[in-house]
């Protein structure tokens, strides 16, 4: 009843009004047309916003907390100034490679469109490629351009014949030492690990409050790098490259682990080193509390900056020691730039990557943050060699750096190895023979799952 009455009330005035307008003109219809036009305009405006974004007004860059934040601020400022209207939004992940991996892959698993460019550790290529998270860059990064980079980093970014990352900087483990303290005792940088332990003993005996060595032995990716260096220097392996079988139960690998547990942890280095990542271990060295320090190239700038370091000007750099009969081997590390497959801004993402990896920015990163360039010819640059003379020597170490195992299952393998190393190093009672057999078996199982 009520509905009928309402309809009646509405129809009557409409009819009355219509008679006051020219024929064919219907205010109701006009209002509807107006409404449709309004909606269309608004949605075009919306599309405009979307289009603006798609044209790259906002670029989302997933990165970690840098050691030299001011350098990254400067780089982003330059990019934004050269691309008016573009804003780079940096999302800062954790410093640890392992935690960074977990957060980044969470976003990728969720197919987040709020992610355009990300940093990738050199060991993630296979996983990111196999999962389809990183875009293949072959069209944008052709072989002619790849040939300007160190071959080992290009190889590390390649999986199944395609390239997935542009190498931003290269890392290799190096030995930092206190030039002044070695000179005081008439010592030269140690060539073997037993020699390092002996020298550290001599120096620390006369120096209160100073430890012999600092490095990274917490349970995370850095532990793999450090332990791999000891193991390779003793002619051992993590995985046999020829057979693809786990090699941690082999004698050279077991001996190296035993050496670290008996001679390094709680002896040459403080026991607290079991909780150290790069920043904590570097802090010990720059505070003047360690004679020797294992770290990546960036530590050079930090250790020689008088505003942050008590040992500026007193630092020497050398290849990592070997074991008698073995050879010095450094882990290949470093960070690459990748584009998310789910990015809606792929063209702008590529512009950003091309900018970051350009000779100009690699040079800036080398000069201001002592990050080692991945482009070969930058090593002949006079400005760089004047500020970073260590790069001349380091170049050899970069070329011969040892990659960690390549597998889409690398994070899982790494996790298994991290737990083994951590158990073996922290428990004096841990039976390394038994534990190493167990970890090798666990790795074998994972390796059979790899495609
Ligand atoms: C550095 C290296 C990286 C490695 C990490 C371990 O960031 O570049 O490759 O995985 O250290 O802590």
């Amino acid at each position: 009843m009520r509905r009928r009455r309402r309809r009646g009330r509405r129809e009557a005035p409409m009819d009355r009004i219509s008679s006051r307008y020219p024929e064919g003109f219907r205010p109701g219809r006009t209002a509807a047309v107006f409404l449709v036009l309004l909606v269309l305009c608004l949605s075009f405006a919306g599309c405009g916003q979307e289009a603006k974004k798609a044209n790259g007004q906002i670029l989302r860059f997933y990165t970690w907390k840098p050691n030299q934040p001011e350098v990254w601020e400067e780089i982003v400022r330059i990019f934004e100034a050269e691309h008016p209207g573009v804003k780079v939004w940096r999302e800062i992940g954790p410093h640890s490679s392992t935690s960074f991996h977990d957060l980044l892959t969470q976003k990728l698993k969720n197919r987040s469109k709020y992610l355009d460019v990300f940093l990738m550790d050199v060991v993630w290529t296979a996983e990111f490629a196999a999962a389809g998270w990183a875009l293949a860059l072959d069209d944008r990064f052709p072989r002619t351009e790849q040939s300007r980079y160190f071959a080992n980093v290009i190889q590390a970014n390649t999986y199944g014949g395609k390239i997935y990352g542009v190498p931003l900087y290269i890392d290799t483990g190096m030995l930092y030492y206190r030039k002044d303290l070695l000179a005081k005792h008439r010592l030269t940088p140690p060539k073997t690990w037993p020699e390092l332990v002996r020298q550290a003993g001599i120096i620390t005996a006369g120096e209160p409050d100073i430890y012999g060595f600092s490095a990274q032995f917490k349970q995370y990716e850095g532990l793999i790098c450090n332990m791999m260096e000891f193991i390779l220097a003793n002619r051992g392996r993590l995985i046999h490259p020829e057979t693809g079988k786990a090699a941690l139960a082999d004698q050279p690998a077991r001996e190296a682990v035993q050496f670290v547990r008996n001679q390094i942890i709680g002896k040459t280095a403080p026991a607290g080193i079991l909780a150290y990542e790069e920043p904590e271990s570097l802090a010990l060295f720059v505070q003047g509390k360690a004679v020797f320090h294992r770290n990546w190239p960036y530590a050079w700038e930090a250790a020689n900056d008088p505003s942050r370091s008590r040992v500026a000007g007193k630092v020497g750099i050398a290849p990592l020691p070997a074991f008698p009969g073995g050879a010095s081997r450094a882990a290949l590390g470093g960070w690459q730039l990748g584009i998310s497959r789910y990015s809606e801004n792929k063209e702008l993402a590529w512009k950003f990557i091309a900018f970051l990896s350009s000779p100009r920015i690699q040079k800036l990163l080398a000069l201001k943050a002592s990050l080692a360039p991945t482009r070969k010819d930058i090593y002949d640059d006079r400005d760089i060699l004047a500020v970073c003379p260590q790069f001349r020597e380091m170049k050899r170490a970069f070329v011969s750096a040892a990659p960690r195992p390549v597998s889409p299952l690398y994070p899982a393998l790494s996790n298994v190895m991290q737990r083994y190393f951590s158990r073996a190093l922290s428990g004096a009672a841990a039976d390394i023979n038994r534990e190493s057999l167990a970890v090798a078996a666990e790795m074998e199982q994972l390796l059979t799952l790899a495609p």
Side-chain angles (χ1 to χ4, degrees), residues 97 121-123 171 220-222 225 278 296 332-335 404:
S97 169
D121 195 341
V122 70
V123 278
D171 268 342
Y220 81 118
E221 188 55 33
C225 302
E278 285 85 357
W296 310 104
L332 173 69
W335 290 81
R404 280 160 273 171

Side-chain angles (χ1 to χ4, degrees), residues 45-113:
C47 288
Q49 292 276 343
E50 280 309 305
K52 246 185 177 178
K53 278 186 208 158
N55 284 339
Q57 297 306 300
I58 293 168
L59 180 91
R60 293 177 170 88
F61 177 34
Y62 192 66
T63 174
W64 27 237
K65 185 168 175 285
N67 295 298
Q68 287 88 353
E70 61 294 344
V71 180
W72 285 91
E73 302 286 337
E74 182 182 344
I75 290 173
V76 167
R77 255 198 322 270
I78 301 175
F79 183 77
E80 288 178 345
E82 291 178 4
H83 296 81
V86 172
K87 184 88 197 121
V88 178
W89 283 4
R90 278 182 297 160
E91 191 173 339
I92 309 285
H95 185 277
S96 147
S97 169
T98 306
S99 320
F100 186 87
H101 172 270
D102 294 348
L103 280 179
L104 174 58
T105 53
Q106 201 52 52
K107 286 177 187 293
L108 291 163
K109 280 177 200 159
N110 291 341
R111 303 177 171 219
S112 168
K113 58 179 183 181

Side-chain angles (χ1 to χ4, degrees), residues 170-172 174 176 295-301 370 372 394 398:
I170 185 168
D171 268 342
T172 49
M174 345 223 68
Y176 292 86
N295 210 328
W296 310 104
Y298 82 92
W300 175 262
E301 194 273 340
S370 77
M394 283 180 181
F398 295 145

Side-chain angles (χ1 to χ4, degrees), residues 149-286:
Y149 291 72
F150 286 127
N152 54 350
V153 285
I154 290 298
Q155 200 185 337
N157 278 281
T158 305
Y159 185 73
K162 292 192 175 160
I163 189 135
Y164 290 90
V166 179
L168 180 63
Y169 65 85
I170 185 168
D171 268 342
T172 49
M174 345 223 68
L175 183 71
Y176 292 86
Y177 61 90
R178 286 283 300 279
K179 272 194 306 200
D180 56 329
L181 295 179
L182 263 67
K184 183 170 155 192
H185 294 270
R186 295 171 203 270
L187 297 168
T188 51
K191 293 265 185 289
T192 67
W193 285 108
E195 201 185 336
L196 179 142
V197 167
R198 193 180 59 81
Q199 291 190 0
I202 295 171
I203 296 172
T204 54
E207 307 276 343
D209 299 335
I210 188 162
Y211 293 100
F213 184 57
S214 89
Q216 304 84 42
F217 290 96
K218 183 177 167 175
Q219 187 177 317
Y220 81 118
E221 188 55 33
L223 179 61
I224 303 292
C225 302
N226 281 256
M227 290 310 294
M228 183 176 94
E229 288 166 349
F230 279 98
I231 290 170
L232 297 190
N234 199 35
R235 290 185 292 180
R237 299 281 197 172
L238 305 183
I239 293 177
H240 287 288
E242 305 83 24
T243 59
K245 298 263 178 222
L248 284 176
D250 296 3
Q251 194 181 343
R254 278 189 283 118
E255 276 174 6
V257 174
Q258 196 90 49
F259 177 88
V260 177
R261 183 171 84 186
N262 296 348
Q263 302 294 326
I264 301 288
I265 312 289
K267 188 180 171 202
T268 308
I273 205 171
L274 288 169
Y276 285 7
E277 295 186 8
E278 285 85 357
E280 297 81 14
S281 63
L282 176 63
L284 200 73
F285 187 67
V286 300

